[in-house]
Amino acid sequence: MIAFFQNIVGSVLNNFIIVIIATLMALFIDFLFPTFSKWTRMFLLFIVITIVLQPAFEHLVLIQKIAHSISMTFLSIYPVLTAAMIASGGAFGMLNFQPAMLLFANGAVFLTERLLIPLLTAAIVLDLASRLLPEVSFSKMSDLIRTTLLGLVSALVTAYSIFITTGGTMSWAMSGFASEPIKELVRQNVPFIGSFMTESLGAIGKYSSGAAIFAGGWLITSIWTIALVPTLKTLFTAFLYRWTAALIEPFADEDITGVLDDIGKTLFVLCAVSFLIAFALIYTALFTVILVKLITTMK
Amino acid sequence: MRGNDGIFLSGVVLITILSATILLVVPDDVADELIPIVKLAMGIWILRSLLNFFGHSL
């Protein structure tokens, strides 16, 4: 786990250290040549944008690639799953699963790949444009894009949880009093998507605890870990952006900290989007596991 | 849809970078006069893209 975080920090921190050093250099140049302050600001902005955008776009491309490969996997696995469901016949009926969920999961992943991630890219570009030329500001539009996307993702996850809870046979041990302080902690400390995270994790947890009876706790834990690694990575990088912004705020221009903050916000929304993919993966993986278990034990 | 999005964004980025550079190069009093022209250009571009997206349903 520590190696994992070191890996993430190492890949991103270099860029942020360059940003901090460039900001200090700009301060020096401003002090020595005050008449060139406009040029210094513009050059600094260009340096920051070129360096800082790289990790953000890497994450966007990463999530898009994952969405693409997962939707391809779904397309290839569904005929087999459907055939297995038909073959298992009546035994399947007692589980009360929703086969429509599979279609829904695939739709969500497709939506992510085709609509949500391009819109997030647009939000980043519009943010940068409005920082570069403050007279022509697009900040309202990029804010609108972000909040709309977040609303869309939340609605989709709510729909998931409705599907799952009407499926019956599901109850969750962790929703008791023990996890409430942790939920509250996450809700307070992760900006924008904190409450969304706790709610959606609760919803998917409800489902997987029902599945744990069949599949075993360790298997479920490993599926969760695999599915949530990209999300955690994105979340951590988003926090790094905000931390850097907070660190350089006393001595840097407001533009620079604003750019970092905006990219951080967009990455938080990306993190919420990647939750969708994680859910789809968790649901399908557990579904497959339970189906295989059922078929092998009923035989 | 995707291609149109890309074109809209590249236009926005192009106008922004070009006008930011021009505003840097020219002296301050000329820059003040140039800003409305930049806004006009951006407005025309946005309206044109809007018509491109939804124009056929008007």
Side-chain angles (χ1 to χ4, degrees):
Chain A
M1 200 65 184
I2 293 173
F4 169 68
F5 278 118
Q6 273 177 345
N7 189 15
I8 300 172
V9 174
S11 63
V12 180
L13 206 62
N14 279 342
N15 297 339
F16 288 122
I17 288 176
I18 293 173
V19 167
I20 293 175
I21 292 173
T23 320
L24 277 177
M25 298 271 283
L27 270 184
F28 272 121
I29 294 172
D30 253 359
F31 181 67
L32 292 177
F33 311 103
T35 42
F36 285 107
S37 62
K38 261 169 74 182
W39 285 87
T40 331
R41 174 187 165 272
M42 193 52 87
F43 275 120
L44 184 62
L45 214 56
F46 271 124
I47 290 174
V48 167
I49 286 172
T50 42
I51 290 172
V52 147
L53 263 191
Q54 197 193 355
F57 270 102
E58 262 172 23
H59 276 276
L60 278 170
V61 170
L62 174 82
I63 302 286
Q64 192 161 26
K65 266 186 191 162
I66 291 174
H68 183 73
S69 57
I70 284 184
S71 88
M72 287 294 119
T73 317
F74 284 174
L75 279 185
S76 55
I77 209 176
Y78 284 164
V80 184
L81 270 184
T82 321
M85 269 157 61
I86 296 168
S88 64
F92 200 72
M94 76 178 196
L95 273 179
N96 255 338
F97 271 107
Q98 304 277 347
M101 265 297 284
L102 292 176
L103 188 67
F104 193 67
N106 200 6
V109 174
F110 187 76
L111 189 74
T112 306
E113 191 198 343
R114 284 298 158 92
L115 187 69
L116 301 187
I117 292 181
L119 274 180
L120 274 183
T121 319
I124 289 188
V125 170
L126 291 179
D127 267 335
L128 293 182
S130 48
R131 291 287 166 188
L132 213 57
L133 198 64
E135 290 87 5
V136 185
S137 173
F138 284 100
S139 54
K140 273 184 189 143
M141 205 201 293
S142 55
D143 256 356
L144 188 70
I145 290 177
R146 270 195 295 265
T147 44
T148 314
L149 283 191
L150 202 55
L152 201 65
V153 174
S154 311
L156 274 175
V157 171
T158 316
Y160 267 120
S161 57
I162 290 170
F163 266 115
I164 289 168
T165 43
T166 50
T169 61
M170 313 299 171
S171 59
W172 195 28
M174 243 179 85
S175 64
F177 296 110
S179 66
E180 277 306 316
I182 304 173
K183 273 188 181 177
E184 198 56 41
L185 196 73
V186 172
R187 211 172 289 158
Q188 298 289 339
N189 285 304
V190 180
F192 302 112
I193 57 167
S195 58
F196 164 76
M197 273 172 73
T198 54
E199 295 303 316
S200 47
L201 280 179
I204 202 78
K206 247 179 224 163
Y207 167 65
S208 54
S209 74
I213 305 163
F214 296 96
W218 280 111
L219 186 68
I220 298 230
T221 315
S222 54
I223 290 174
W224 268 66
T225 318
I226 291 166
L228 289 179
V229 160
T231 311
L232 282 181
K233 209 169 165 239
T234 314
L235 185 68
F236 200 68
T237 315
F239 266 122
L240 272 181
Y241 274 97
R242 301 208 98 190
W243 287 332
T244 314
L247 200 65
I248 65 173
E249 199 189 1
F251 59 89
D253 234 15
E254 200 192 326
D255 289 335
I256 310 292
T257 53
V259 164
L260 291 177
D261 233 18
D262 286 341
I263 298 176
K265 267 186 219 164
T266 312
L267 278 186
F268 276 122
V269 179
L270 180 68
C271 175
V273 168
S274 68
F275 254 99
L276 266 188
I277 303 170
F279 286 162
L281 184 64
I282 289 174
Y283 189 85
T284 312
L286 286 181
F287 191 85
T288 315
V289 166
I290 291 172
L291 195 59
V292 170
K293 276 243 170 193
L294 202 66
I295 291 172
T296 48
T297 49
M298 289 286 168
K299 218 165 75 173
Chain B
M1 180 73 190
R2 221 173 173 187
N4 283 344
D5 272 356
I7 290 170
F8 171 64
L9 280 182
S10 355
V12 168
V13 170
L14 206 66
I15 291 175
T16 308
I17 291 179
L18 270 181
S19 49
T21 320
I22 292 172
L23 287 178
L24 263 188
V25 176
V26 297
D28 277 347
D29 47 336
V30 184
D32 288 340
E33 289 171 16
L34 270 179
I35 287 172
I37 298 176
V38 172
K39 284 194 176 190
L40 207 63
M42 194 62 96
I44 290 171
W45 176 249
I46 290 174
L47 274 184
R48 198 198 146 277
S49 310
L50 207 68
L51 285 181
N52 233 1
F53 286 145
F54 307 109
H56 43 75
S57 57
L58 284 180

